Amino acid sequence: MRFHFGMDFGGIESMLLRQLPRLNAAGFRVSVCLLRREGALADELRRAGVPVHLLRTRGRIRPGSLRAIAAFLRAENVDIAHAHTRSVYVPVTIAARLAGTPVVVGSVHEMHSVGNWRRALQERLLDRWRDGMVTVSDEVADDYCRTAGIARSRCTTIYNGLDADAFRASAAPREAARASLGLAPGDVAVVTVGRLQPQKAHEHLIDAAALLAARHPDLAVRYLVVGEGPRQAELEALAAAAGLAGCMRFLGARRDVPSLLAAADLCCLTSRYEGFSNVVLE
């Protein structure tokens, strides 16, 4: 049983969408329990044959929420409770132990996931009740264990993966992909994919684009910014202030990233840090 707050568009959620149907097809009984909201990808998971449950808990350690999660785990006869993001570590770990779930694990997807001493103390306490943690890279595991103050042996690395054949097969021919985006034959297309949030540091792309435009005013560069998030209005304003409104397009959340990459000449990642970037794999 994978626990998550909501199945919105994002790298972690897209990975679940690829991974969980394969686990079910391999003979595992895998399902997802969402603790806050469904999100845009919940129905897509269901169509792929993965059961999705919604509990709508309130607060991470409210007794009522913990009882609801524990009752759900017992009713579903869950063998492994997997707290898939740090936002659900606390309620899932406590509720799973209350329910007597045999195995409890968590996942760490990012660097710098333990930001202060309170969080480090929390992780050390939770570590007593968990059977281990899954990390997306060895560097993430080293960072997490060092900052949380727990034994490195408590973490197992499982890298993010990609079905490369399916990804290539879903990409439109380059000419058709470019035409659908209104790109001219002489345009240089730069695509960046990621949620519009501080970690992704899209302002660096804006700064670089402004510098390139000043140095090479005759070069027709078109920037395709794929993703949505809390910084969209801010980034659009920064692009406009830099004189890039005509060449930087904010496309929002897209499900045709393979075609966008096929249309592009460059893919740019400006993140301050990544645990294991799905976009680089793509």
Side-chain angles (χ1 to χ4, degrees):
M1 175 69 66
R2 299 288 183 95
F3 285 86
H4 205 41
F5 257 1
M7 283 296 295
D8 301 305
F9 287 106
I12 296 173
E13 293 78 9
S14 296
M15 185 272 293
L16 287 176
L17 191 58
R18 294 193 299 266
Q19 179 190 79
L20 299 187
R22 291 172 175 268
L23 287 173
N24 275 339
F28 297 93
R29 183 174 62 92
V30 180
S31 58
V32 172
C33 181
L34 304 173
L35 300 183
R36 185 65 56 84
R37 61 188 178 278
E38 288 213 343
L41 299 181
D43 283 340
E44 194 163 344
L45 261 182
R46 292 189 179 101
R47 289 193 293 272
V50 178
V52 178
H53 311 271
L54 178 63
L55 291 186
R56 291 193 188 278
T57 58
R58 300 178 62 185
R60 297 185 182 184
I61 56 174
R62 287 192 177 188
S65 296
L66 297 177
R67 286 196 297 269
I69 298 170
F72 173 77
L73 287 166
R74 286 192 292 266
E76 292 291 313
N77 194 28
V78 170
D79 297 306
I80 303 172
H82 186 169
H84 205 257
T85 58
R86 66 181 184 178
S87 56
V88 299
Y89 287 170
V90 173
V92 171
T93 301
I94 296 174
R97 288 313 181 200
L98 291 174
T101 302
V103 177
V104 183
V105 296
S107 281
V108 187
H109 301 271
E110 295 287 0
M111 298 290 291
H112 317 308
S113 61
V114 182
N116 54 54
W117 69 267
R118 292 184 180 85
R119 184 60 188 269
L121 177 59
Q122 170 191 297
E123 292 303 311
R124 286 196 291 272
L125 291 173
L126 291 176
D127 187 60
R128 300 169 180 263
W129 298 335
R130 288 187 301 230
D131 294 279
M133 295 291 283
V134 177
T135 57
V136 296
S137 69
D138 289 340
E139 189 171 3
V140 167
D142 293 341
D143 174 75
Y144 171 76
C145 292
R146 181 180 64 254
T147 54
I150 65 175
R152 180 62 175 79
S153 59
R154 301 290 289 164
C155 292
T156 298
T157 294
I158 301 178
Y159 299 116
N160 291 342
L162 187 70
D163 185 343
D165 290 335
F167 200 88
R168 284 191 292 265
S170 66
R174 176 175 169 81
E175 294 76 12
R178 288 177 65 87
S180 71
L181 292 164
L183 296 171
D187 289 345
V188 178
V190 179
V191 65
T192 183
V193 183
R195 277 187 54 77
L196 307 184
Q197 60 186 19
Q199 173 197 338
K200 303 299 183 179
H202 290 83
E203 65 272 16
H204 296 325
L205 176 62
I206 294 172
D207 291 342
L211 183 63
L212 183 63
R215 292 184 177 180
H216 302 278
D218 296 330
L219 189 61
V221 185
R222 303 292 179 257
Y223 300 90
L224 307 175
V225 182
V226 181
E228 59 186 9
R231 295 194 70 197
Q232 179 158 346
E234 175 193 357
L235 293 170
E236 288 177 340
L238 287 174
L244 301 171
C247 63
M248 183 167 288
R249 295 167 55 190
F250 290 81
L251 302 183
R254 298 282 293 250
R255 301 307 308 280
D256 59 342
V257 171
S259 295
L260 296 175
L261 291 174
D265 299 287
L266 294 170
C267 180
C268 181
L269 183 71
T270 57
S271 299
R272 293 187 174 91
Y273 56 89
E274 291 280 348
F276 193 112
S277 174
N278 289 306
V279 176
V280 169
L281 287 181
E282 293 170 352

